[in-house]
Amino acid sequence: MSAWLDRENPARLGELVGRVPVADAPDVDEAVRAADAAQRSWARTPLAERVRVLREASATFDDEDLAVLLARESGKPVGDCRGELRFSGVFLNWVADRAPEVLADVETDDAAGRLLLRRRPYGAVAAITPWNAPVILAMLKVGPALAAGNTVVVKPSPLAPLAVSELLGRFGDGLVRVVHGEAGTGAALVGHPLVRKVAFTGGEGAGRAIGALAGRMITPAVLELGGNDPAVLLPDAEFTDDAMDRLVMGCFQTSGQVCMAAKRLYVPAGREAEFRDAFTAAARRVVVLGDPLDEETTVGPVITAGAAERIRALIASGGEPVPLGRVACDLERGHYVRPTLLTGLDDSSPVVADEQFGPVVPLLAYSTTEEVLARANAGELGLGASVWSADEDRAFDFARRFEAGFTFVNTHGRTGMALRAPFGGVKRSGHGREYGDEGILEYAQTCSVHAPAAFRAGGGGMAAAAYPG
Protein backbone atom coordinates (compact mmCIF):
# COMPACT_ATOMS: atom_id res chain seq x y z
CA MET A 1 0.00 0.00 0.00
CA SER A 2 1.79 3.12 -1.21
CA ALA A 3 -1.04 5.61 -1.78
CA TRP A 4 -3.84 7.11 0.27
CA LEU A 5 -7.38 8.26 -0.42
CA ASP A 6 -8.42 11.47 1.30
CA ARG A 7 -12.08 12.09 2.14
CA GLU A 8 -13.23 15.70 2.25
CA ASN A 9 -16.43 16.85 3.95
CA PRO A 10 -18.92 17.69 1.14
CA ALA A 11 -20.65 20.17 3.45
CA ARG A 12 -17.47 22.02 4.46
CA LEU A 13 -15.09 22.30 1.55
CA GLY A 14 -11.46 21.95 2.52
CA GLU A 15 -12.17 19.98 5.71
CA LEU A 16 -10.38 16.65 5.66
CA VAL A 17 -12.48 13.98 7.41
CA GLY A 18 -10.00 11.13 7.12
CA ARG A 19 -7.90 9.01 4.82
CA VAL A 20 -7.57 5.34 3.96
CA PRO A 21 -4.77 3.36 2.31
CA VAL A 22 -5.22 2.21 -1.30
CA ALA A 23 -4.97 -1.55 -1.81
CA ASP A 24 -3.05 -2.60 -4.91
CA ALA A 25 -3.33 -6.00 -6.59
CA PRO A 26 -0.92 -7.78 -4.17
CA ASP A 27 -2.85 -6.32 -1.21
CA VAL A 28 -6.13 -7.60 -2.65
CA ASP A 29 -4.59 -11.01 -3.29
CA GLU A 30 -3.42 -11.21 0.32
CA ALA A 31 -6.87 -10.25 1.63
CA VAL A 32 -8.71 -12.75 -0.54
CA ARG A 33 -6.32 -15.60 0.27
CA ALA A 34 -6.66 -14.89 3.98
CA ALA A 35 -10.47 -14.79 3.65
CA ASP A 36 -10.42 -18.07 1.74
CA ALA A 37 -8.31 -19.75 4.42
CA ALA A 38 -10.51 -18.42 7.24
CA GLN A 39 -13.66 -19.54 5.48
CA ARG A 40 -12.82 -23.21 5.74
CA SER A 41 -12.98 -23.24 9.52
CA TRP A 42 -15.83 -20.70 9.61
CA ALA A 43 -17.97 -23.00 7.47
CA ARG A 44 -17.48 -25.75 10.05
CA THR A 45 -18.53 -23.42 12.87
CA PRO A 46 -22.03 -24.28 14.13
CA LEU A 47 -24.72 -21.95 12.83
CA ALA A 48 -25.63 -20.97 16.39
CA GLU A 49 -22.12 -19.60 16.86
CA ARG A 50 -22.18 -17.80 13.52
CA VAL A 51 -25.37 -15.93 14.37
CA ARG A 52 -23.99 -15.14 17.83
CA VAL A 53 -21.20 -13.22 16.10
CA LEU A 54 -23.81 -11.20 14.21
CA ARG A 55 -25.70 -10.38 17.39
CA GLU A 56 -22.55 -9.31 19.24
CA ALA A 57 -21.51 -7.03 16.39
CA SER A 58 -24.99 -5.53 16.08
CA ALA A 59 -24.93 -4.50 19.75
CA THR A 60 -22.11 -2.04 18.96
CA PHE A 61 -23.80 -0.22 16.08
CA ASP A 62 -25.64 2.44 18.09
CA ASP A 63 -22.54 4.63 18.14
CA GLU A 64 -22.84 8.44 18.22
CA ASP A 65 -19.22 9.04 17.21
CA LEU A 66 -19.68 6.88 14.13
CA ALA A 67 -22.93 8.67 13.26
CA VAL A 68 -21.09 11.98 13.29
CA LEU A 69 -18.24 10.51 11.25
CA LEU A 70 -20.69 9.13 8.70
CA ALA A 71 -22.42 12.51 8.44
CA ARG A 72 -19.13 14.30 7.89
CA GLU A 73 -17.86 11.97 5.18
CA SER A 74 -21.13 11.42 3.28
CA GLY A 75 -23.04 14.68 3.73
CA LYS A 76 -26.07 12.85 5.11
CA PRO A 77 -27.91 14.47 8.05
CA VAL A 78 -26.62 13.14 11.34
CA GLY A 79 -30.10 12.00 12.39
CA ASP A 80 -30.33 9.97 9.21
CA CYS A 81 -26.90 8.48 9.98
CA ARG A 82 -28.03 7.45 13.45
CA GLY A 83 -31.03 5.78 11.88
CA GLU A 84 -28.89 3.91 9.37
CA LEU A 85 -26.59 2.59 12.08
CA ARG A 86 -29.46 1.44 14.28
CA PHE A 87 -31.32 -0.14 11.39
CA SER A 88 -28.19 -2.00 10.35
CA GLY A 89 -28.10 -3.55 13.81
CA VAL A 90 -31.79 -4.44 13.54
CA PHE A 91 -31.11 -6.11 10.20
CA LEU A 92 -28.25 -8.21 11.58
CA ASN A 93 -30.47 -9.42 14.40
CA TRP A 94 -33.21 -10.26 11.89
CA VAL A 95 -30.72 -12.36 9.92
CA ALA A 96 -29.68 -14.08 13.14
CA ASP A 97 -33.34 -14.85 13.86
CA ARG A 98 -34.18 -16.17 10.37
CA ALA A 99 -30.97 -17.96 9.41
CA PRO A 100 -31.51 -21.13 11.50
CA GLU A 101 -34.74 -21.84 9.64
CA VAL A 102 -33.75 -20.57 6.20
CA LEU A 103 -30.36 -22.31 6.12
CA ALA A 104 -31.46 -25.59 7.72
CA ASP A 105 -31.03 -28.87 5.88
CA VAL A 106 -34.30 -30.20 4.46
CA GLU A 107 -34.73 -33.96 4.29
CA THR A 108 -37.60 -35.81 2.66
CA ASP A 109 -38.15 -39.58 2.88
CA ASP A 110 -41.21 -40.80 0.98
CA ALA A 111 -42.39 -43.11 -1.77
CA ALA A 112 -40.18 -41.32 -4.31
CA GLY A 113 -37.01 -41.92 -2.29
CA ARG A 114 -34.83 -40.05 0.15
CA LEU A 115 -33.73 -36.50 -0.65
CA LEU A 116 -31.46 -34.27 1.41
CA LEU A 117 -31.12 -30.58 0.48
CA ARG A 118 -28.13 -28.91 2.09
CA ARG A 119 -27.41 -25.17 2.21
CA ARG A 120 -23.68 -24.79 1.66
CA PRO A 121 -21.58 -21.59 1.60
CA TYR A 122 -19.80 -20.36 -1.51
CA GLY A 123 -16.48 -19.44 0.09
CA ALA A 124 -14.91 -15.97 0.01
CA VAL A 125 -17.42 -13.33 -1.06
CA ALA A 126 -16.45 -10.00 -2.66
CA ALA A 127 -18.72 -7.09 -1.69
CA ILE A 128 -18.43 -3.72 -3.42
CA THR A 129 -20.57 -1.10 -1.75
CA PRO A 130 -21.60 2.53 -2.47
CA TRP A 131 -21.32 5.71 -0.43
CA ASN A 132 -24.99 6.75 -0.12
CA ALA A 133 -25.93 4.18 2.55
CA PRO A 134 -22.54 2.61 3.19
CA VAL A 135 -23.34 0.81 6.42
CA ILE A 136 -26.67 -0.84 5.68
CA LEU A 137 -25.68 -1.71 2.11
CA ALA A 138 -22.57 -3.44 3.44
CA MET A 139 -24.53 -5.27 6.14
CA LEU A 140 -27.08 -6.52 3.60
CA LYS A 141 -24.19 -8.53 2.18
CA VAL A 142 -22.02 -9.24 5.20
CA GLY A 143 -24.80 -10.43 7.52
CA PRO A 144 -26.31 -13.12 5.26
CA ALA A 145 -22.90 -14.15 3.93
CA LEU A 146 -21.44 -14.76 7.38
CA ALA A 147 -24.56 -16.54 8.60
CA ALA A 148 -24.33 -18.92 5.63
CA GLY A 149 -20.69 -19.75 6.41
CA ASN A 150 -18.86 -17.47 3.97
CA THR A 151 -16.19 -14.91 4.71
CA VAL A 152 -16.26 -11.48 3.05
CA VAL A 153 -13.84 -9.00 1.52
CA VAL A 154 -15.46 -5.57 1.30
CA LYS A 155 -14.41 -2.67 -0.90
CA PRO A 156 -16.28 0.41 0.35
CA SER A 157 -16.76 3.47 -1.79
CA PRO A 158 -13.84 5.90 -1.54
CA LEU A 159 -16.47 8.61 -0.99
CA ALA A 160 -17.56 7.18 2.39
CA PRO A 161 -15.02 4.61 3.57
CA LEU A 162 -14.47 5.59 7.19
CA ALA A 163 -17.44 4.68 9.38
CA VAL A 164 -18.22 1.44 7.59
CA SER A 165 -14.61 0.26 7.83
CA GLU A 166 -14.68 0.79 11.58
CA LEU A 167 -17.84 -1.30 11.88
CA LEU A 168 -16.58 -4.07 9.62
CA GLY A 169 -13.76 -4.68 12.07
CA ARG A 170 -16.28 -5.75 14.73
CA PHE A 171 -17.13 -9.17 13.29
CA GLY A 172 -14.33 -11.28 14.68
CA ASP A 173 -10.82 -12.07 13.59
CA GLY A 174 -10.45 -12.64 9.87
CA LEU A 175 -14.12 -13.01 8.94
CA VAL A 176 -14.45 -9.65 7.19
CA ARG A 177 -11.57 -7.91 5.48
CA VAL A 178 -11.56 -4.45 3.94
CA VAL A 179 -9.68 -3.18 0.91
CA HIS A 180 -9.86 0.42 -0.26
CA GLY A 181 -9.43 1.94 -3.67
CA GLU A 182 -10.98 2.94 -6.96
CA ALA A 183 -11.98 0.81 -9.95
CA GLY A 184 -8.62 -0.97 -10.18
CA THR A 185 -8.95 -2.30 -6.64
CA GLY A 186 -12.49 -3.46 -7.41
CA ALA A 187 -11.37 -5.23 -10.58
CA ALA A 188 -8.57 -7.03 -8.72
CA LEU A 189 -11.11 -8.18 -6.14
CA VAL A 190 -13.87 -9.30 -8.51
CA GLY A 191 -11.39 -10.99 -10.84
CA HIS A 192 -9.59 -12.94 -8.12
CA PRO A 193 -9.83 -16.71 -8.76
CA LEU A 194 -10.59 -17.48 -5.10
CA VAL A 195 -13.62 -15.18 -4.97
CA ARG A 196 -16.67 -17.45 -5.19
CA LYS A 197 -19.49 -14.86 -5.14
CA VAL A 198 -19.74 -11.17 -5.95
CA ALA A 199 -22.23 -8.70 -4.47
CA PHE A 200 -22.43 -5.14 -5.80
CA THR A 201 -24.66 -2.13 -5.22
CA GLY A 202 -24.10 0.92 -7.38
CA GLY A 203 -24.57 2.51 -10.78
CA GLU A 204 -25.19 0.82 -14.10
CA GLY A 205 -21.79 1.66 -15.58
CA ALA A 206 -19.82 0.07 -12.77
CA GLY A 207 -22.36 -2.77 -12.64
CA ARG A 208 -21.74 -3.60 -16.29
CA ALA A 209 -17.99 -3.76 -15.73
CA ILE A 210 -18.31 -5.87 -12.59
CA GLY A 211 -20.88 -8.17 -14.17
CA ALA A 212 -18.71 -8.68 -17.26
CA LEU A 213 -15.64 -9.50 -15.18
CA ALA A 214 -17.57 -11.83 -12.90
CA GLY A 215 -19.01 -13.52 -15.98
CA ARG A 216 -15.54 -14.13 -17.41
CA MET A 217 -14.56 -15.71 -14.09
CA ILE A 218 -17.83 -17.70 -14.00
CA THR A 219 -18.49 -16.16 -10.60
CA PRO A 220 -22.16 -15.70 -9.64
CA ALA A 221 -23.11 -12.13 -8.81
CA VAL A 222 -25.83 -10.14 -7.07
CA LEU A 223 -26.15 -6.76 -8.80
CA GLU A 224 -28.40 -4.04 -7.36
CA LEU A 225 -28.16 -1.19 -9.84
CA GLY A 226 -29.87 2.12 -10.54
CA GLY A 227 -33.50 2.99 -11.00
CA ASN A 228 -35.69 5.68 -12.54
CA ASP A 229 -38.59 5.03 -10.20
CA PRO A 230 -42.04 6.34 -11.18
CA ALA A 231 -44.55 7.47 -8.57
CA VAL A 232 -48.06 7.24 -10.03
CA LEU A 233 -50.86 9.04 -8.22
CA LEU A 234 -54.10 7.44 -9.41
CA PRO A 235 -57.19 9.62 -10.00
CA ASP A 236 -58.52 8.91 -6.50
CA ALA A 237 -55.21 9.64 -4.72
CA GLU A 238 -55.54 11.92 -1.71
CA PHE A 239 -52.95 14.68 -1.40
CA THR A 240 -53.03 14.73 2.38
CA ASP A 241 -50.27 16.33 4.43
CA ASP A 242 -48.98 12.99 5.67
CA ALA A 243 -48.95 11.46 2.20
CA MET A 244 -47.20 14.45 0.66
CA ASP A 245 -44.63 14.52 3.46
CA ARG A 246 -43.80 10.88 2.70
CA LEU A 247 -43.58 11.51 -1.03
CA VAL A 248 -41.36 14.57 -0.65
CA MET A 249 -38.90 12.63 1.51
CA GLY A 250 -39.17 9.69 -0.87
CA CYS A 251 -37.81 12.06 -3.51
CA PHE A 252 -35.20 13.98 -1.54
CA GLN A 253 -33.79 11.82 1.24
CA THR A 254 -29.98 11.76 0.90
CA SER A 255 -30.46 14.69 -1.51
CA GLY A 256 -32.20 12.35 -3.95
CA GLN A 257 -29.02 10.28 -4.31
CA VAL A 258 -30.79 6.98 -3.70
CA CYS A 259 -31.37 4.22 -6.23
CA MET A 260 -34.97 3.75 -5.11
CA ALA A 261 -35.87 7.45 -4.75
CA ALA A 262 -39.03 8.63 -6.52
CA LYS A 263 -37.68 10.16 -9.71
CA ARG A 264 -40.80 10.75 -11.88
CA LEU A 265 -44.10 12.06 -10.50
CA TYR A 266 -47.24 11.31 -12.55
CA VAL A 267 -50.51 13.03 -11.60
CA PRO A 268 -53.92 13.08 -13.32
CA ALA A 269 -54.42 15.84 -15.88
CA GLY A 270 -56.34 18.69 -14.26
CA ARG A 271 -54.89 18.06 -10.79
CA GLU A 272 -51.36 19.38 -11.47
CA ALA A 273 -51.88 22.69 -9.68
CA GLU A 274 -53.50 20.98 -6.70
CA PHE A 275 -50.62 18.54 -6.47
CA ARG A 276 -47.95 21.21 -6.91
CA ASP A 277 -49.43 23.25 -4.07
CA ALA A 278 -49.63 20.22 -1.77
CA PHE A 279 -46.12 19.04 -2.67
CA THR A 280 -44.48 22.44 -2.16
CA ALA A 281 -46.33 22.89 1.14
CA ALA A 282 -45.01 19.50 2.29
CA ALA A 283 -41.49 20.50 1.27
CA ARG A 284 -41.77 23.61 3.45
CA ARG A 285 -42.64 21.34 6.36
CA VAL A 286 -40.05 18.59 5.93
CA VAL A 287 -37.17 19.82 3.77
CA VAL A 288 -34.46 21.79 5.54
CA LEU A 289 -31.31 22.11 3.42
CA GLY A 290 -28.38 22.56 5.74
CA ASP A 291 -25.22 21.32 7.39
CA PRO A 292 -25.46 17.59 8.16
CA LEU A 293 -24.38 18.14 11.77
CA ASP A 294 -27.29 20.51 12.40
CA GLU A 295 -30.09 18.51 14.05
CA GLU A 296 -32.71 20.48 12.11
CA THR A 297 -31.27 19.48 8.71
CA THR A 298 -33.15 16.88 6.69
CA VAL A 299 -31.33 17.31 3.35
CA GLY A 300 -27.60 17.86 3.05
CA PRO A 301 -25.21 18.52 0.17
CA VAL A 302 -24.67 16.24 -2.80
CA ILE A 303 -21.60 14.09 -2.70
CA THR A 304 -19.13 15.86 -5.05
CA ALA A 305 -18.63 19.05 -7.02
CA GLY A 306 -19.16 17.05 -10.20
CA ALA A 307 -22.50 15.79 -8.96
CA ALA A 308 -23.59 19.32 -8.11
CA GLU A 309 -22.63 20.60 -11.57
CA ARG A 310 -24.46 17.75 -13.29
CA ILE A 311 -27.66 18.29 -11.31
CA ARG A 312 -27.64 22.07 -11.82
CA ALA A 313 -27.32 21.43 -15.56
CA LEU A 314 -30.36 19.14 -15.42
CA ILE A 315 -32.38 21.82 -13.64
CA ALA A 316 -31.34 24.37 -16.28
CA SER A 317 -32.06 22.05 -19.22
CA GLY A 318 -35.75 22.95 -19.54
CA GLY A 319 -39.08 23.26 -17.82
CA GLU A 320 -40.12 25.58 -15.02
CA PRO A 321 -38.14 25.08 -11.80
CA VAL A 322 -39.95 25.31 -8.46
CA PRO A 323 -37.44 25.65 -5.58
CA LEU A 324 -38.49 23.63 -2.55
CA GLY A 325 -38.05 23.64 1.19
CA ARG A 326 -36.09 25.94 3.46
CA VAL A 327 -32.41 26.85 3.23
CA ALA A 328 -30.54 26.92 6.54
CA CYS A 329 -26.93 27.19 5.41
CA ASP A 330 -24.48 29.06 3.21
CA LEU A 331 -24.94 27.31 -0.14
CA GLU A 332 -21.41 28.24 -1.20
CA ARG A 333 -19.81 26.44 1.71
CA GLY A 334 -20.38 22.94 0.31
CA HIS A 335 -21.82 20.99 -2.61
CA TYR A 336 -25.35 22.21 -1.98
CA VAL A 337 -28.14 22.00 -4.55
CA ARG A 338 -31.59 23.18 -3.53
CA PRO A 339 -34.32 20.53 -4.03
CA THR A 340 -36.35 21.41 -7.10
CA LEU A 341 -39.59 20.37 -8.75
CA LEU A 342 -39.60 20.74 -12.55
CA THR A 343 -42.85 21.28 -14.44
CA GLY A 344 -43.65 21.69 -18.13
CA LEU A 345 -41.52 18.79 -19.39
CA ASP A 346 -42.25 15.89 -21.72
CA ASP A 347 -41.04 12.32 -21.50
CA SER A 348 -38.08 12.95 -23.81
CA SER A 349 -36.46 15.38 -21.37
CA PRO A 350 -33.24 14.00 -19.84
CA VAL A 351 -34.54 14.63 -16.33
CA VAL A 352 -37.48 12.32 -17.13
CA ALA A 353 -35.88 9.71 -19.36
CA ASP A 354 -32.73 9.20 -17.29
CA GLU A 355 -32.00 8.65 -13.62
CA GLN A 356 -31.23 12.04 -12.07
CA PHE A 357 -29.67 10.76 -8.84
CA GLY A 358 -30.02 14.15 -7.22
CA PRO A 359 -32.48 16.61 -5.65
CA VAL A 360 -34.59 17.34 -8.74
CA VAL A 361 -37.81 15.62 -9.78
CA PRO A 362 -40.17 16.22 -12.74
CA LEU A 363 -43.96 16.58 -12.46
CA LEU A 364 -45.85 15.00 -15.37
CA ALA A 365 -49.57 14.85 -16.19
CA TYR A 366 -51.45 11.89 -17.67
CA SER A 367 -54.92 11.32 -19.09
CA THR A 368 -55.65 7.60 -18.59
CA THR A 369 -54.30 4.85 -16.37
CA GLU A 370 -53.35 2.77 -19.42
CA GLU A 371 -51.34 5.68 -20.75
CA VAL A 372 -49.51 6.33 -17.51
CA LEU A 373 -48.74 2.66 -17.03
CA ALA A 374 -47.06 2.55 -20.43
CA ARG A 375 -45.09 5.71 -19.68
CA ALA A 376 -44.09 4.52 -16.21
CA ASN A 377 -42.85 1.21 -17.63
CA ALA A 378 -40.88 2.88 -20.43
CA GLY A 379 -37.11 2.59 -20.32
CA GLU A 380 -34.61 -0.08 -19.41
CA LEU A 381 -34.62 0.39 -15.64
CA GLY A 382 -37.01 -1.36 -13.29
CA LEU A 383 -35.90 -1.09 -9.69
CA GLY A 384 -38.73 0.51 -7.72
CA ALA A 385 -42.06 2.24 -8.26
CA SER A 386 -44.96 3.50 -6.19
CA VAL A 387 -48.70 3.77 -6.67
CA TRP A 388 -50.93 6.07 -4.61
CA SER A 389 -54.67 5.50 -4.23
CA ALA A 390 -57.45 5.77 -1.66
CA ASP A 391 -58.41 2.21 -2.65
CA GLU A 392 -55.74 -0.33 -1.66
CA ASP A 393 -57.17 -3.05 -3.93
CA ARG A 394 -57.05 -0.67 -6.88
CA ALA A 395 -53.47 0.20 -6.03
CA PHE A 396 -52.47 -3.47 -5.90
CA ASP A 397 -54.21 -4.20 -9.20
CA PHE A 398 -52.24 -1.37 -10.81
CA ALA A 399 -48.99 -2.42 -9.12
CA ARG A 400 -49.25 -5.93 -10.56
CA ARG A 401 -48.62 -4.40 -13.98
CA PHE A 402 -45.56 -2.37 -13.07
CA GLU A 403 -42.22 -3.50 -14.48
CA ALA A 404 -40.44 -3.04 -11.18
CA GLY A 405 -38.74 -5.26 -8.66
CA PHE A 406 -40.37 -3.51 -5.70
CA THR A 407 -43.57 -1.46 -5.71
CA PHE A 408 -44.54 0.72 -2.77
CA VAL A 409 -48.20 1.48 -2.03
CA ASN A 410 -49.07 4.93 -0.64
CA THR A 411 -45.46 5.63 0.26
CA HIS A 412 -42.06 5.54 -1.42
CA GLY A 413 -38.60 4.62 -0.22
CA ARG A 414 -37.43 3.43 3.17
CA THR A 415 -40.84 3.92 4.84
CA GLY A 416 -42.18 1.24 2.49
CA MET A 417 -39.46 -1.33 3.08
CA ALA A 418 -39.80 -4.44 5.23
CA LEU A 419 -37.19 -6.88 6.45
CA ARG A 420 -39.25 -9.79 5.13
CA ALA A 421 -39.76 -8.27 1.65
CA PRO A 422 -37.09 -9.13 -0.96
CA PHE A 423 -35.67 -6.09 -2.75
CA GLY A 424 -34.00 -5.93 -6.16
CA GLY A 425 -34.49 -4.91 -9.75
CA VAL A 426 -35.82 -6.19 -13.03
CA LYS A 427 -34.64 -5.33 -16.54
CA ARG A 428 -31.31 -3.49 -16.33
CA SER A 429 -31.69 -2.58 -12.69
CA GLY A 430 -29.84 -5.75 -11.81
CA HIS A 431 -30.54 -9.26 -10.57
CA GLY A 432 -30.55 -11.08 -7.28
CA ARG A 433 -32.29 -9.98 -4.10
CA GLU A 434 -31.51 -8.42 -0.74
CA TYR A 435 -33.72 -8.51 2.37
CA GLY A 436 -36.18 -11.33 2.94
CA ASP A 437 -35.33 -15.01 3.10
CA GLU A 438 -34.21 -14.70 -0.54
CA GLY A 439 -31.52 -12.27 0.56
CA ILE A 440 -30.08 -14.87 2.93
CA LEU A 441 -30.28 -17.64 0.34
CA GLU A 442 -28.25 -15.56 -2.14
CA TYR A 443 -25.21 -16.61 -0.10
CA ALA A 444 -25.95 -20.34 0.12
CA GLN A 445 -25.80 -23.02 -2.56
CA THR A 446 -28.34 -25.81 -2.50
CA CYS A 447 -26.60 -29.18 -2.72
CA SER A 448 -28.62 -32.39 -3.09
CA VAL A 449 -28.12 -35.94 -1.81
CA HIS A 450 -30.61 -38.37 -3.35
CA ALA A 451 -31.41 -42.07 -3.02
CA PRO A 452 -34.13 -42.97 -5.59
CA ALA A 453 -36.79 -45.34 -4.26
CA ALA A 454 -36.10 -47.77 -7.10
CA PHE A 455 -32.67 -48.67 -5.72
CA ARG A 456 -33.45 -48.70 -2.02
CA ALA A 457 -34.21 -51.87 -0.13
CA GLY A 458 -37.44 -53.33 -1.52
CA GLY A 459 -37.36 -51.02 -4.56
CA GLY A 460 -38.48 -52.20 -7.96
CA GLY A 461 -35.36 -51.09 -9.80
CA MET A 462 -35.23 -49.67 -13.32
CA ALA A 463 -33.22 -50.11 -16.48
CA ALA A 464 -29.62 -48.88 -16.27
CA ALA A 465 -30.19 -46.04 -18.77
CA ALA A 466 -33.81 -45.19 -17.93
CA TYR A 467 -35.11 -41.67 -17.32
CA PRO A 468 -36.67 -41.04 -13.93
CA GLY A 469 -40.45 -41.45 -13.85
Side-chain angles (χ1 to χ4, degrees):
M1 295 182 183
S2 57
W4 293 81
L5 284 169
D6 291 343
R7 183 59 194 139
E8 183 183 76
N9 187 338
R12 303 178 184 183
L13 302 184
E15 178 182 293
L16 179 67
V17 181
R19 55 183 359 211
V20 292
V22 175
D24 58 17
D27 298 324
V28 173
D29 177 67
E30 179 182 353
V32 174
R33 291 185 182 279
D36 176 70
Q39 190 273 330
R40 301 174 194 282
S41 60
W42 180 244
R44 295 191 295 271
T45 301
L47 180 55
E49 173 65 14
R50 300 202 298 262
V51 300
R52 184 189 64 78
V53 169
L54 297 187
R55 293 191 194 281
E56 288 187 352
S58 73
T60 72
F61 275 39
D62 192 359
D63 186 320
E64 180 64 15
D65 290 341
L66 284 184
V68 172
L69 178 60
L70 180 55
R72 292 177 62 220
E73 64 177 328
S74 70
K76 293 171 55 168
V78 67
D80 192 353
C81 295
R82 291 188 195 105
E84 180 177 342
L85 291 172
R86 290 168 184 162
F87 180 67
S88 298
V90 169
F91 174 75
L92 291 177
N93 279 308
W94 182 86
V95 172
D97 289 341
R98 291 295 302 149
E101 178 178 340
V102 174
L103 297 173
D105 291 350
V106 178
E107 189 165 355
T108 303
D109 193 341
D110 56 21
R114 185 176 178 183
L115 174 64
L116 171 64
L117 303 181
R118 305 182 68 209
R119 308 295 192 187
R120 307 299 300 157
Y122 283 88
V125 172
I128 299 181
T129 58
W131 64 266
N132 57 348
V135 177
I136 185 56
L137 291 174
M139 298 311 146
L140 288 174
K141 301 160 182 57
V142 168
L146 292 182
N150 306 279
T151 52
V152 191
V153 181
V154 181
K155 192 197 86 64
S157 168
L159 297 177
L162 303 171
V164 68
S165 296
E166 166 65 24
L167 287 168
L168 290 170
R170 300 179 180 182
F171 283 93
D173 186 31
L175 300 179
V176 182
R177 296 175 185 271
V178 181
V179 293
H180 294 287
E182 304 279 2
T185 304
L189 179 58
V190 173
H192 198 287
L194 291 180
V195 165
R196 305 303 185 194
K197 179 97 180 194
V198 172
F200 170 75
T201 300
E204 182 179 348
R208 285 177 180 272
I210 288 169
L213 180 53
R216 287 199 296 273
M217 300 301 296
I218 319 180
T219 305
V222 176
L223 302 177
E224 197 263 271
L225 307 179
N228 192 12
D229 295 16
V232 175
L233 293 101
L234 294 180
D236 66 342
E238 298 174 338
F239 304 160
T240 65
D241 289 356
D242 287 347
M244 290 298 98
D245 290 355
R246 290 195 300 276
L247 182 53
V248 165
M249 292 313 295
C251 294
F252 299 122
Q253 256 163 355
T254 315
S255 298
Q257 301 166 117
V258 179
C259 59
M260 62 178 178
K263 299 186 176 77
R264 296 177 282 159
L265 307 179
Y266 292 95
V267 301
R271 298 189 70 188
E272 302 101 307
E274 177 192 359
F275 176 85
R276 185 175 61 248
D277 290 347
F279 193 81
T280 55
R284 284 193 297 271
R285 289 191 297 271
V286 301
V287 170
V288 179
L289 180 64
D291 189 288
L293 297 184
D294 186 333
E295 295 291 348
E296 185 187 24
T297 295
T298 60
V299 175
V302 297
I303 191 66
T304 63
E309 291 173 6
R310 178 183 59 80
I311 296 159
R312 291 190 188 107
L314 280 175
I315 294 171
S317 66
E320 177 187 345
V322 181
L324 300 171
R326 293 173 283 148
V327 176
C329 64
D330 177 359
L331 297 181
E332 301 300 319
R333 191 176 186 187
H335 304 312
Y336 289 100
V337 179
R338 187 168 181 177
T340 301
L341 180 71
L342 280 179
T343 65
L345 299 172
D346 61 34
D347 289 2
S348 65
S349 169
V351 79
V352 178
D354 303 321
E355 180 183 20
Q356 316 98 340
F357 210 71
V360 54
V361 64
L363 174 60
L364 306 155
Y366 69 88
S367 297
T368 69
T369 54
E370 291 300 317
E371 169 212 327
V372 74
L373 181 67
R375 293 167 65 190
N377 285 338
E380 291 301 314
L381 300 181
L383 185 60
S386 64
V387 56
W388 303 69
S389 173
D391 183 335
E392 187 175 281
D393 289 339
R394 184 180 189 185
F396 268 74
D397 287 343
F398 189 89
R400 286 186 173 94
R401 303 169 67 193
F402 265 135
E403 295 174 1
F406 199 110
T407 299
F408 306 98
V409 174
N410 289 327
T411 193
H412 198 116
R414 75 167 66 129
T415 54
M417 302 290 289
L419 293 169
R420 67 178 184 174
F423 182 87
V426 300
K427 298 193 286 190
R428 289 186 178 167
S429 286
H431 50 75
R433 293 294 180 263
E434 295 183 319
Y435 293 104
D437 292 350
E438 289 86 344
I440 298 174
L441 290 172
E442 287 287 357
Y443 297 91
Q445 304 175 89
T446 300
C447 300
S448 301
V449 181
H450 187 221
F455 310 120
R456 301 177 74 189
M462 68 172 69
Y467 286 95

